[in-house]
Amino acid sequence: MAKKAKTAITPTRTEDYTEWYQQVVRASDLAERSPVRGCMVIRPWGYALWENIVRELDDMFKATGVKNAYFPLFIPLSFLEKEAEHVEGFAKECAVVTHHRLEKGPEGGLVPAGSLNEPLVVRPTSETIIGDSFSKWVSSYRDLPLLINQWANVVRWEMRTRIFLRTSEFLWQEGHTVHATDKDAIERTRLMLDVYAKLAEEYLAIPVIKGTKTPSERFPGALDTLCIEAMMQDRKALQAGTSHFLGQNFAKASDIKFHSAEGTEEYAWTTSWGASTRLIGGLIMTHGDDDGIILPPRVASSHVVIMPIAKKPEDRSKVMEYTETLAKELREKYYHHRRIQVEIDDRDVGGRGWDWIKKGIPVRVEIGPRDIADNSVFIGTRDKEYKDRSSLKRDQFVAEITNILDEIQDTLFQRALTFREKNTIIINDNKQFYEFFTPQNQDKPEIHGGFSLSPWCGSEECESKIKEDLSVTIRCIPFDNEAEKGNCICCGKPDSKQVIFAKAY
Amino acid sequence: MAKKAKTAITPTRTEDYTEWYQQVVRASDLAERSPVRGCMVIRPWGYALWENIVRELDDMFKATGVKNAYFPLFIPLSFLEKEAEHVEGFAKECAVVTHHRLEKGPEGGLVPAGSLNEPLVVRPTSETIIGDSFSKWVSSYRDLPLLINQWANVVRWEMRTRIFLRTSEFLWQEGHTVHATDKDAIERTRLMLDVYAKLAEEYLAIPVIKGTKTPSERFPGALDTLCIEAMMQDRKALQAGTSHFLGQNFAKASDIKFHSAEGTEEYAWTTSWGASTRLIGGLIMTHGDDDGIILPPRVASSHVVIMPIAKKPEDRSKVMEYTETLAKELREKYYHHRRIQVEIDDRDVGGRGWDWIKKGIPVRVEIGPRDIADNSVFIGTRDKEYKDRSSLKRDQFVAEITNILDEIQDTLFQRALTFREKNTIIINDNKQFYEFFTPQNQDKPEIHGGFSLSPWCGSEECESKIKEDLSVTIRCIPFDNEAEKGNCICCGKPDSKQVIFAKAY
Ligand SMILES: [Zn+2]
Ligand SMILES: [Zn+2]
C-alpha cells in the first residue's frame, strides 16, 4: 500500500467533501462565519477576488449598453404582494423590519420601539421596487430598451447556510431590462447568459453548460429561465448564473406601459439576470485541491508572492533589495486589464510557502542569496505539485510572467473540462440511471454520480418522481444538444428530449 | 428695472434655496424619491457620478495600504449595547428586523411571522460588528496596523429627509483601522482626513476647511473627530467627511487586544472614517446655478454631449458620420484615469441643449452642416453662460479637450473658493455676531450669514447658548488658525481661540 501523501487540508476531498469545503475556506482567509446567523464576513483576500469578478462583469455589462443605478434596500409589503408567483417564491425567507427605534427596556437592555404602519422587507431581489421606478421612467418606445443593473446586498433567510454557497446575506448584481417586443427581451435574456458564460469560462476557468430550466425550476414569475451549470469536484451541479425572460408578467404587476410608434399603448417586456458571491463557492469547488484553494490568475486576489530568504542577518539587506526591485518591475506590467499584483512575505516564520498555497496564489517566488548570485528566482505555481518547483533566470521570469499566468489559467480550465467530460455520461436505461445516482455505501456516501444526459418526456410527474427517489433534478435542457431523442428515463415515453440530470447545490 | 433673465430652474437660489435644491435635483436626473419612506433611487446619471467618486477614493485608500472587506448588514442588539455612548448615538434611528418570514394573514395580505429570538438592527455604522472580527484577527503587534475599508449601504431612520443630504438609507464607505500606539492611530486619523480633503478639492472642486469637532459634535464614543467643512451657496456649512480617533474605547468594548513586542498584552487603538452619497448633495449645492447642476469634469457622469443638427433629411447621414467620428476620437483619449465619455443626443426635439445644461454635463457640442463645411464644432461649456458659445476648429477641439475640461474644473473650484472667502468674516463682537446670523426678514428669511471666525472659550455652555439662540454651531476648530485669540463671543472670557461658527446641514 502506497504511503498516503500529506496534504495541507484535512480531510481530503474524497474523505469528506463537505468538511473539506469548510476547511479549505477557513485555511484560505477568504471569508468566515459572522456572529449574525447565516451571514458571512468577506475578508480582504476574498473581497479582492470579488472586486476582480465585479470589474470584469461590470465592464462586460457596460459594453452591451447597460447602466448602473441603485434602488432602496427596503421593499414595502404591498409591493411583494403584486406578483402572485413571486411572493410565493420569496415570502418564506424574508427579513422583516417592523420597528424604527430602540428604547431602554424594563430590564435595562434595548427593545424595539416605533412600530411601522407597514412592515418593510429587506430585498430578497428587487423586481418589484425597480418595476415601480420603471413604470415612471418608461412612457414611449423611444425610452426603450431600458437597460439597468444594480450591485447590491440581498437577504434570503436561509435555514442551512454554507459560506459563499448559501448565506442569509450575499452580494450580487441584478440586471433589469425593459423592451418593446418579446423578441428583443428574449435576445437580451440570451445575451446576458452569454456574458455569464464568458465570465465563468474565460475568467473563473469554470466550464459551463448553457441551457433552459424546466418550468418547476424557473424563477418565480418568469416565462423562461436560462442558466449556466457547472460541475463541482463532488460531481454535483452548481448554477453559476441565471437570466430570466419575464414576459409581460412584471410589466403588468408594476404597470410598465409605453406608447408604441403606432400610437397604441402596450405593456412592455422585461428581463432580469443575476450572479452573486456564490460564484466564489463554485470557483473553490471547481479548482481547489487537498492543499487548499487555487485562484485562476485572471481574477486572483493577487498574482505573485515573493518570499525572501535570509538566514544570515548580513544577507538580509541584499535579499530585500533584490525582492523589492523584482516586485517593482512586476508591478509595472499588466495582466488582463490590471497591473500585476505582488505580495512580499518577509515574515521570519516556517511554512510561509504553505500559507500561500492554502490561499491559492498563482505564483510563488523564493529568493535566497544563492538565487541572487545566480541572477535567478525559484518558482512554484499553484497548478503544480509543491515539489515541482524550478529555477528561472530573473529576467526571463519578468519577461514571461504573463505567459506563466496564462498557462496556469489554461491548465485550470482544461483540468475542469476534462473532469466534467469524464463524469458526464449518456444514460438511456432506467436501472443504470438509478445505479449512477445511488452511492455504494449508504452510511457514508462516497463521491458518486455526475451529469447524466438522459431523455425526459417533459412531464412534471417524471421530474418530481426522480427528485423524490434520488434527490436528482433536471439542471437544464441544454442548448447544444446533438444527442438523439429517446425514451423518457422515468416513464419510457418515446421521442423524449435529452436533458442534464444531476444532484445540485 | 432690468428684465429678469429667464432661468431653467424655478425658483432661483435667491428666491427659495430649499425648493431650488429639490427642483435642481429633479431636473438633473441624478436621483428621485422612492415609495419607501426617506429612501432614494439613484438614477444612472447620479450613480455614474457616485461610481467616479468611489473609484477615486478607493484608489487613494489603497495607496495608503487600506484593503477592502465586507461585514454583515445586520447587527445583533447585544452588540449595539457594548459601547455606551455609541448606543445612545444610534438607538433612536434604527431599522429593526424582528421576523424572518411572511405568512398569509387573516385578511389575505402578508403578515410578519417567524419571530427572532434576538432582534437585529440594520447597520447604522459597523464599528461593533467589525470590532468583533478585529478581536479575532488581531493577536500580535505583527498584525498591526490593520487597515480595512467597507463600501456599503447603511440605514439611519431620519424623520426629515432630503435627497442625498439626509436619507434613511445611503451609500458610503467606512474605514476602520487598528494600531499598536495612540500616535499611529492619531496619524492615521489625520491621513484619512487629508484624503477626504484631496477628494473634495481636487475632484469635487469643493474648497474645504480642515479642523477638529468640539466634544459635543463628536462621533459617539470617539476621543476626537476631525472633519472637513464646506460652504454651500446659501452660506450654510456642510460636513463633507469625518475621521475619528476612537482611542481604546472600541477596542475595550470589542476586546481588541494584542501582544506587544515586549510581551505584554495591550488594548489596541482604533480609528474610523467615512464619506457618503451626501457628497453629491454638497457638490450640487456648491456648484449648481439657476439653470441646474454643474458637474466637475474629474468626476462628471459623462464629459461631452454631441448634438447633431440635421434639419434637412439629406444632411442627416453626413452629420451623423461626422458626429460618430468625432465621438470615437474623443473616446480614445484619457482625462484623469478614465476615458473621455461622450454622449450622442440625436433626438429630433427642441431644447436638447437645455436638457444637458440641467444635467450639468461639462461640454456641449453642436454640429450642423455649416460646422462640417467649416471643419469646426460649436462649443458651450457648463461653467459659462448659455449665450457664451463659440466655434472651434474640430482638430483643435480634439487636441484641447483635456485642457478645456481642466479649465472648467479650475473655474468651479476658484468660484467656490471666492464665494467662501467673501462670506467668511472675523467677528469679535457679540452684537455683530447676532446680527450676522439673524435674517433681516424673519417671515421669509433671505440667504444670510456665512462662516464667522470668532473666539470661543471652550465651554459647552456658550456653545449651546449660541445654538439655541441662533441655530448656529461650531463647525470646527480649524487646523490652520492664524487668527489672534480674543474674548469669547458669548461670555467674553479672554484668551479664547478662534473657531468656525455657521448654520449647518
Ligand atoms: Zn416521463
Ligand atoms: Zn464663553
Side-chain angles (χ1 to χ4, degrees), chain B residues 265-287:
Chain B
E265 195 177 52
E266 312 276 352
Y267 280 111
W269 302 82
T270 68
T271 82
S272 72
W273 25 276
S276 74
T277 37
R278 198 173 204 222
L279 286 171
I280 296 177
L283 186 154
I284 295 166
M285 291 202 292
T286 301
H287 303 304

PDB file of all heavy atoms in Angstrom, chain B residues 265-287:
ATOM      1  N   GLU B 265       0.323  42.281  27.115  1.00  0.00           N
ATOM      2  CA  GLU B 265      -0.936  42.305  26.379  1.00  0.00           C
ATOM      3  C   GLU B 265      -1.558  43.689  26.518  1.00  0.00           C
ATOM      4  O   GLU B 265      -1.691  44.206  27.630  1.00  0.00           O
ATOM      5  CB  GLU B 265      -1.890  41.231  26.897  1.00  0.00           C
ATOM      6  CG  GLU B 265      -3.043  40.994  25.929  1.00  0.00           C
ATOM      7  CD  GLU B 265      -3.967  39.868  26.375  1.00  0.00           C
ATOM      8  OE1 GLU B 265      -4.439  39.892  27.528  1.00  0.00           O
ATOM      9  OE2 GLU B 265      -4.225  38.985  25.551  1.00  0.00           O
ATOM     10  N   GLU B 266      -1.920  44.292  25.386  1.00  0.00           N
ATOM     11  CA  GLU B 266      -2.394  45.681  25.382  1.00  0.00           C
ATOM     12  C   GLU B 266      -3.697  45.795  24.601  1.00  0.00           C
ATOM     13  O   GLU B 266      -3.907  45.052  23.653  1.00  0.00           O
ATOM     14  CB  GLU B 266      -1.379  46.590  24.644  1.00  0.00           C
ATOM     15  CG  GLU B 266       0.062  46.422  25.042  1.00  0.00           C
ATOM     16  CD  GLU B 266       0.399  47.233  26.274  1.00  0.00           C
ATOM     17  OE1 GLU B 266      -0.474  48.031  26.707  1.00  0.00           O
ATOM     18  OE2 GLU B 266       1.513  47.065  26.807  1.00  0.00           O
ATOM     19  N   TYR B 267      -4.532  46.762  25.000  1.00  0.00           N
ATOM     20  CA  TYR B 267      -5.662  47.117  24.140  1.00  0.00           C
ATOM     21  C   TYR B 267      -5.141  47.934  22.963  1.00  0.00           C
ATOM     22  O   TYR B 267      -4.221  48.744  23.112  1.00  0.00           O
ATOM     23  CB  TYR B 267      -6.696  47.941  24.908  1.00  0.00           C
ATOM     24  CG  TYR B 267      -7.587  47.090  25.770  1.00  0.00           C
ATOM     25  CD1 TYR B 267      -7.494  47.144  27.161  1.00  0.00           C
ATOM     26  CD2 TYR B 267      -8.510  46.229  25.192  1.00  0.00           C
ATOM     27  CE1 TYR B 267      -8.302  46.343  27.953  1.00  0.00           C
ATOM     28  CE2 TYR B 267      -9.323  45.428  25.978  1.00  0.00           C
ATOM     29  CZ  TYR B 267      -9.212  45.487  27.359  1.00  0.00           C
ATOM     30  OH  TYR B 267     -10.012  44.693  28.134  1.00  0.00           O
ATOM     31  N   ALA B 268      -5.737  47.709  21.798  1.00  0.00           N
ATOM     32  CA  ALA B 268      -5.294  48.427  20.611  1.00  0.00           C
ATOM     33  C   ALA B 268      -5.933  49.816  20.561  1.00  0.00           C
ATOM     34  O   ALA B 268      -6.828  50.146  21.347  1.00  0.00           O
ATOM     35  CB  ALA B 268      -5.656  47.625  19.368  1.00  0.00           C
ATOM     36  N   TRP B 269      -5.491  50.626  19.614  1.00  0.00           N
ATOM     37  CA  TRP B 269      -6.020  51.964  19.358  1.00  0.00           C
ATOM     38  C   TRP B 269      -6.690  51.934  17.994  1.00  0.00           C
ATOM     39  O   TRP B 269      -6.096  51.445  17.038  1.00  0.00           O
ATOM     40  CB  TRP B 269      -4.885  52.986  19.375  1.00  0.00           C
ATOM     41  CG  TRP B 269      -4.136  52.988  20.675  1.00  0.00           C
ATOM     42  CD1 TRP B 269      -3.140  52.129  21.043  1.00  0.00           C
ATOM     43  CD2 TRP B 269      -4.351  53.863  21.786  1.00  0.00           C
ATOM     44  NE1 TRP B 269      -2.709  52.418  22.316  1.00  0.00           N
ATOM     45  CE2 TRP B 269      -3.429  53.485  22.799  1.00  0.00           C
ATOM     46  CE3 TRP B 269      -5.224  54.935  22.027  1.00  0.00           C
ATOM     47  CZ2 TRP B 269      -3.367  54.133  24.033  1.00  0.00           C
ATOM     48  CZ3 TRP B 269      -5.151  55.585  23.251  1.00  0.00           C
ATOM     49  CH2 TRP B 269      -4.238  55.180  24.246  1.00  0.00           C
ATOM     50  N   THR B 270      -7.901  52.448  17.914  1.00  0.00           N
ATOM     51  CA  THR B 270      -8.609  52.329  16.636  1.00  0.00           C
ATOM     52  C   THR B 270      -9.053  53.683  16.085  1.00  0.00           C
ATOM     53  O   THR B 270      -9.131  54.674  16.810  1.00  0.00           O
ATOM     54  CB  THR B 270      -9.848  51.407  16.745  1.00  0.00           C
ATOM     55  OG1 THR B 270     -10.840  52.034  17.568  1.00  0.00           O
ATOM     56  CG2 THR B 270      -9.490  50.054  17.339  1.00  0.00           C
ATOM     57  N   THR B 271      -9.323  53.670  14.776  1.00  0.00           N
ATOM     58  CA  THR B 271      -9.876  54.855  14.107  1.00  0.00           C
ATOM     59  C   THR B 271     -11.044  54.410  13.229  1.00  0.00           C
ATOM     60  O   THR B 271     -11.162  53.235  12.901  1.00  0.00           O
ATOM     61  CB  THR B 271      -8.857  55.541  13.162  1.00  0.00           C
ATOM     62  OG1 THR B 271      -8.828  54.853  11.901  1.00  0.00           O
ATOM     63  CG2 THR B 271      -7.454  55.572  13.745  1.00  0.00           C
ATOM     64  N   SER B 272     -11.887  55.345  12.874  1.00  0.00           N
ATOM     65  CA  SER B 272     -12.846  55.078  11.803  1.00  0.00           C
ATOM     66  C   SER B 272     -13.081  56.363  11.031  1.00  0.00           C
ATOM     67  O   SER B 272     -12.863  57.464  11.561  1.00  0.00           O
ATOM     68  CB  SER B 272     -14.157  54.487  12.333  1.00  0.00           C
ATOM     69  OG  SER B 272     -14.918  55.460  13.008  1.00  0.00           O
ATOM     70  N   TRP B 273     -13.480  56.233   9.770  1.00  0.00           N
ATOM     71  CA  TRP B 273     -13.604  57.413   8.899  1.00  0.00           C
ATOM     72  C   TRP B 273     -14.558  57.071   7.777  1.00  0.00           C
ATOM     73  O   TRP B 273     -14.611  55.950   7.294  1.00  0.00           O
ATOM     74  CB  TRP B 273     -12.228  57.835   8.357  1.00  0.00           C
ATOM     75  CG  TRP B 273     -11.222  56.730   8.289  1.00  0.00           C
ATOM     76  CD1 TRP B 273     -10.414  56.277   9.318  1.00  0.00           C
ATOM     77  CD2 TRP B 273     -10.930  55.884   7.161  1.00  0.00           C
ATOM     78  NE1 TRP B 273      -9.641  55.215   8.884  1.00  0.00           N
ATOM     79  CE2 TRP B 273      -9.936  54.958   7.564  1.00  0.00           C
ATOM     80  CE3 TRP B 273     -11.402  55.825   5.859  1.00  0.00           C
ATOM     81  CZ2 TRP B 273      -9.416  53.979   6.716  1.00  0.00           C
ATOM     82  CZ3 TRP B 273     -10.887  54.856   5.002  1.00  0.00           C
ATOM     83  CH2 TRP B 273      -9.904  53.953   5.433  1.00  0.00           C
ATOM     84  N   GLY B 274     -15.374  58.065   7.403  1.00  0.00           N
ATOM     85  CA  GLY B 274     -16.403  57.774   6.410  1.00  0.00           C
ATOM     86  C   GLY B 274     -16.764  58.968   5.545  1.00  0.00           C
ATOM     87  O   GLY B 274     -16.634  60.119   5.940  1.00  0.00           O
ATOM     88  N   ALA B 275     -17.225  58.639   4.354  1.00  0.00           N
ATOM     89  CA  ALA B 275     -17.787  59.648   3.446  1.00  0.00           C
ATOM     90  C   ALA B 275     -18.922  58.959   2.695  1.00  0.00           C
ATOM     91  O   ALA B 275     -18.908  57.740   2.513  1.00  0.00           O
ATOM     92  CB  ALA B 275     -16.741  60.171   2.481  1.00  0.00           C
ATOM     93  N   SER B 276     -19.900  59.732   2.262  1.00  0.00           N
ATOM     94  CA  SER B 276     -21.127  59.110   1.764  1.00  0.00           C
ATOM     95  C   SER B 276     -21.677  59.828   0.542  1.00  0.00           C
ATOM     96  O   SER B 276     -21.112  60.809   0.065  1.00  0.00           O
ATOM     97  CB  SER B 276     -22.184  59.143   2.869  1.00  0.00           C
ATOM     98  OG  SER B 276     -22.673  60.470   3.011  1.00  0.00           O
ATOM     99  N   THR B 277     -22.826  59.322   0.066  1.00  0.00           N
ATOM    100  CA  THR B 277     -23.517  59.942  -1.063  1.00  0.00           C
ATOM    101  C   THR B 277     -23.938  61.383  -0.743  1.00  0.00           C
ATOM    102  O   THR B 277     -24.343  62.121  -1.635  1.00  0.00           O
ATOM    103  CB  THR B 277     -24.763  59.121  -1.455  1.00  0.00           C
ATOM    104  OG1 THR B 277     -25.396  58.595  -0.289  1.00  0.00           O
ATOM    105  CG2 THR B 277     -24.387  57.953  -2.348  1.00  0.00           C
ATOM    106  N   ARG B 278     -23.824  61.777   0.522  1.00  0.00           N
ATOM    107  CA  ARG B 278     -24.049  63.160   0.909  1.00  0.00           C
ATOM    108  C   ARG B 278     -23.127  64.109   0.137  1.00  0.00           C
ATOM    109  O   ARG B 278     -23.464  65.276  -0.098  1.00  0.00           O
ATOM    110  CB  ARG B 278     -23.741  63.271   2.397  1.00  0.00           C
ATOM    111  CG  ARG B 278     -24.301  64.475   3.022  1.00  0.00           C
ATOM    112  CD  ARG B 278     -24.109  64.441   4.522  1.00  0.00           C
ATOM    113  NE  ARG B 278     -25.126  65.300   5.087  1.00  0.00           N
ATOM    114  CZ  ARG B 278     -24.907  66.159   6.088  1.00  0.00           C
ATOM    115  NH1 ARG B 278     -23.735  66.197   6.671  1.00  0.00           N
ATOM    116  NH2 ARG B 278     -25.871  66.930   6.499  1.00  0.00           N
ATOM    117  N   LEU B 279     -21.945  63.611  -0.213  1.00  0.00           N
ATOM    118  CA  LEU B 279     -21.006  64.424  -1.002  1.00  0.00           C
ATOM    119  C   LEU B 279     -21.668  64.954  -2.271  1.00  0.00           C
ATOM    120  O   LEU B 279     -21.358  66.049  -2.729  1.00  0.00           O
ATOM    121  CB  LEU B 279     -19.786  63.585  -1.400  1.00  0.00           C
ATOM    122  CG  LEU B 279     -18.754  63.272  -0.312  1.00  0.00           C
ATOM    123  CD1 LEU B 279     -17.750  62.252  -0.829  1.00  0.00           C
ATOM    124  CD2 LEU B 279     -18.058  64.544   0.145  1.00  0.00           C
ATOM    125  N   ILE B 280     -22.586  64.155  -2.828  1.00  0.00           N
ATOM    126  CA  ILE B 280     -23.253  64.592  -4.062  1.00  0.00           C
ATOM    127  C   ILE B 280     -24.157  65.783  -3.764  1.00  0.00           C
ATOM    128  O   ILE B 280     -24.234  66.725  -4.557  1.00  0.00           O
ATOM    129  CB  ILE B 280     -24.032  63.419  -4.703  1.00  0.00           C
ATOM    130  CG1 ILE B 280     -23.034  62.334  -5.131  1.00  0.00           C
ATOM    131  CG2 ILE B 280     -24.876  63.899  -5.886  1.00  0.00           C
ATOM    132  CD1 ILE B 280     -23.681  61.089  -5.725  1.00  0.00           C
ATOM    133  N   GLY B 281     -24.810  65.746  -2.601  1.00  0.00           N
ATOM    134  CA  GLY B 281     -25.603  66.910  -2.202  1.00  0.00           C
ATOM    135  C   GLY B 281     -24.731  68.151  -2.078  1.00  0.00           C
ATOM    136  O   GLY B 281     -25.110  69.249  -2.514  1.00  0.00           O
ATOM    137  N   GLY B 282     -23.550  67.979  -1.503  1.00  0.00           N
ATOM    138  CA  GLY B 282     -22.619  69.097  -1.346  1.00  0.00           C
ATOM    139  C   GLY B 282     -22.140  69.626  -2.692  1.00  0.00           C
ATOM    140  O   GLY B 282     -22.015  70.845  -2.886  1.00  0.00           O
ATOM    141  N   LEU B 283     -21.916  68.718  -3.610  1.00  0.00           N
ATOM    142  CA  LEU B 283     -21.473  69.098  -4.951  1.00  0.00           C
ATOM    143  C   LEU B 283     -22.563  69.924  -5.667  1.00  0.00           C
ATOM    144  O   LEU B 283     -22.277  70.956  -6.282  1.00  0.00           O
ATOM    145  CB  LEU B 283     -21.175  67.803  -5.703  1.00  0.00           C
ATOM    146  CG  LEU B 283     -20.564  67.833  -7.084  1.00  0.00           C
ATOM    147  CD1 LEU B 283     -19.802  66.534  -7.327  1.00  0.00           C
ATOM    148  CD2 LEU B 283     -21.628  67.997  -8.140  1.00  0.00           C
ATOM    149  N   ILE B 284     -23.795  69.472  -5.524  1.00  0.00           N
ATOM    150  CA  ILE B 284     -24.912  70.195  -6.147  1.00  0.00           C
ATOM    151  C   ILE B 284     -25.025  71.604  -5.572  1.00  0.00           C
ATOM    152  O   ILE B 284     -25.157  72.583  -6.310  1.00  0.00           O
ATOM    153  CB  ILE B 284     -26.239  69.438  -5.911  1.00  0.00           C
ATOM    154  CG1 ILE B 284     -26.214  68.082  -6.616  1.00  0.00           C
ATOM    155  CG2 ILE B 284     -27.448  70.289  -6.357  1.00  0.00           C
ATOM    156  CD1 ILE B 284     -27.321  67.133  -6.169  1.00  0.00           C
ATOM    157  N   MET B 285     -24.953  71.704  -4.246  1.00  0.00           N
ATOM    158  CA  MET B 285     -25.164  73.000  -3.596  1.00  0.00           C
ATOM    159  C   MET B 285     -23.970  73.930  -3.716  1.00  0.00           C
ATOM    160  O   MET B 285     -24.097  75.126  -3.514  1.00  0.00           O
ATOM    161  CB  MET B 285     -25.520  72.788  -2.137  1.00  0.00           C
ATOM    162  CG  MET B 285     -26.907  72.164  -1.981  1.00  0.00           C
ATOM    163  SD  MET B 285     -27.591  72.468  -0.360  1.00  0.00           S
ATOM    164  CE  MET B 285     -26.487  71.499   0.620  1.00  0.00           C
ATOM    165  N   THR B 286     -22.790  73.371  -4.015  1.00  0.00           N
ATOM    166  CA  THR B 286     -21.617  74.224  -4.205  1.00  0.00           C
ATOM    167  C   THR B 286     -21.604  74.832  -5.615  1.00  0.00           C
ATOM    168  O   THR B 286     -21.316  76.009  -5.785  1.00  0.00           O
ATOM    169  CB  THR B 286     -20.313  73.404  -4.004  1.00  0.00           C
ATOM    170  OG1 THR B 286     -20.318  72.863  -2.689  1.00  0.00           O
ATOM    171  CG2 THR B 286     -19.077  74.270  -4.194  1.00  0.00           C
ATOM    172  N   HIS B 287     -21.901  73.991  -6.621  1.00  0.00           N
ATOM    173  CA  HIS B 287     -21.689  74.443  -7.998  1.00  0.00           C
ATOM    174  C   HIS B 287     -22.966  74.796  -8.772  1.00  0.00           C
ATOM    175  O   HIS B 287     -22.878  75.512  -9.766  1.00  0.00           O
ATOM    176  CB  HIS B 287     -20.923  73.374  -8.784  1.00  0.00           C
ATOM    177  CG  HIS B 287     -19.616  73.006  -8.169  1.00  0.00           C
ATOM    178  ND1 HIS B 287     -18.642  73.930  -7.907  1.00  0.00           N
ATOM    179  CD2 HIS B 287     -19.119  71.810  -7.731  1.00  0.00           C
ATOM    180  CE1 HIS B 287     -17.589  73.324  -7.347  1.00  0.00           C
ATOM    181  NE2 HIS B 287     -17.855  72.034  -7.229  1.00  0.00           N
TER     182      HIS B 287
END
